[in-house]
Amino acid sequence: MKNLILSLVLILATSYGFGATTTTSNKSNFDVRVPVKNWIKKMNDGFRVGIAQGTLEANAKARNKNGLNTSQNESSNTKIQLHAGYEQINTKTLGYSVFGVYQDMAIDNNIHNGDLRNMRIQANATYGITKQAYSYGGLNYGKWYGSEEVEANIDAGFGFQAGIGINLHKRAALEIEYTSLINEGKIAGTNIDLSAKGILLKLNTPFSFNI
């Protein structure tokens, strides 16, 4: 009887130790990076970065409470535009794209003497015409930065953009885009409507994450 009890105790102790070892082993083998890597690998084909150049026609309209309106037009050159985001373009079906945009513009006129920067998010519907050519269009939401007066008094606003693109190479796509930026604000009791419209020439390239 004593031998039987000792045998049962040894069997139970061995089983408990094996179970604990298995549980510890299972916990140590889990790597949270694996599902993250799988998701990034799936999404990697759509990440894009790019640059752009172009000229926008800026218009500032002032409206005061007495009904007096004044308007000024000036051209502004894009010193540099940088953008990054994700796009999905499907041939003969709809896709989408989302980009963050930083645009630095040189202005020397009566609207604003100095440089202005526009930061915006744009979301588009895309359509692949062929495997090489595609079109897109959508809305943007952005704000102007520069002088303290501009940043404090000109609010963020909605605009739009539309364009066509051509895949020149698997690592390069050229786009021509019409952009419209629309913002409003108030300075010294006068309502300000600020808009900037024009053509941008954009060059995009794929960007991959590796972890």
Side-chain angles (χ1 to χ4, degrees):
M1 177 66 70
K2 183 184 291 186
N3 291 336
L4 179 59
I5 293 173
L6 288 173
S7 298
L8 289 172
V9 171
L10 289 173
I11 291 172
L12 289 173
T14 304
S15 300
Y16 176 81
F18 177 77
T21 303
T22 303
T23 303
T24 303
S25 177
N26 288 340
K27 287 183 178 179
S28 62
N29 287 336
F30 177 75
D31 189 348
V32 71
R33 292 176 299 175
V34 172
V36 176
K37 284 182 177 180
N38 292 337
W39 179 81
I40 290 178
K41 183 178 180 181
K42 180 180 178 181
M43 300 291 288
N44 251 346
D45 289 342
F47 290 114
R48 299 287 184 271
V49 295
I51 60 174
Q53 288 286 339
T55 300
L56 300 184
E57 185 74 17
N59 174 267
K61 181 182 291 184
R63 298 176 287 108
N64 63 23
K65 60 183 179 180
N66 297 321
L68 179 63
N69 293 339
T70 60
S71 179
Q72 295 176 342
N73 293 292
E74 288 290 349
S75 294
S76 58
N77 295 318
T78 298
K79 295 168 64 176
I80 189 170
Q81 174 177 301
L82 304 175
H83 50 269
Y86 180 85
E87 68 178 11
Q88 183 182 83
I89 299 175
N90 307 311
T91 304
K92 299 299 183 182
T93 57
L94 288 175
Y96 67 92
S97 68
V98 179
F99 281 87
V101 182
Y102 169 86
Q103 187 175 13
D104 193 349
M105 300 199 310
I107 300 178
D108 187 11
N109 52 54
N110 295 324
I111 294 178
H112 179 75
N113 187 16
D115 293 348
L116 284 178
R117 298 177 299 278
N118 184 273
M119 298 182 67
R120 60 188 180 272
I121 296 174
Q122 61 180 44
N124 300 296
T126 64
Y127 183 81
I129 303 169
T130 67
K131 288 184 177 181
Q132 285 73 39
Y134 57 92
S135 62
Y136 64 92
L139 299 177
N140 62 65
Y141 182 75
K143 181 170 174 57
W144 292 100
Y145 296 88
S147 68
E148 182 178 349
E149 183 181 43
V150 169
E151 294 181 17
N153 296 292
I154 303 300
D155 300 326
F158 285 97
F160 63 90
Q161 65 280 323
I164 56 173
I166 299 175
N167 292 314
L168 302 175
H169 184 267
K170 65 180 181 178
R171 302 293 299 177
L174 183 67
E175 296 179 351
I176 299 176
E177 177 181 294
Y178 176 81
T179 296
S180 177
L181 309 176
I182 303 172
N183 298 84
E184 296 180 351
K186 182 177 288 188
I187 299 176
T190 300
N191 294 317
I192 304 296
D193 298 329
L194 179 62
S195 65
K197 304 174 183 179
I199 302 295
L200 296 174
L201 188 63
K202 303 168 62 179
L203 184 64
N204 298 338
T205 187
F207 179 80
S208 298
F209 291 93
N210 292 308
I211 62 171

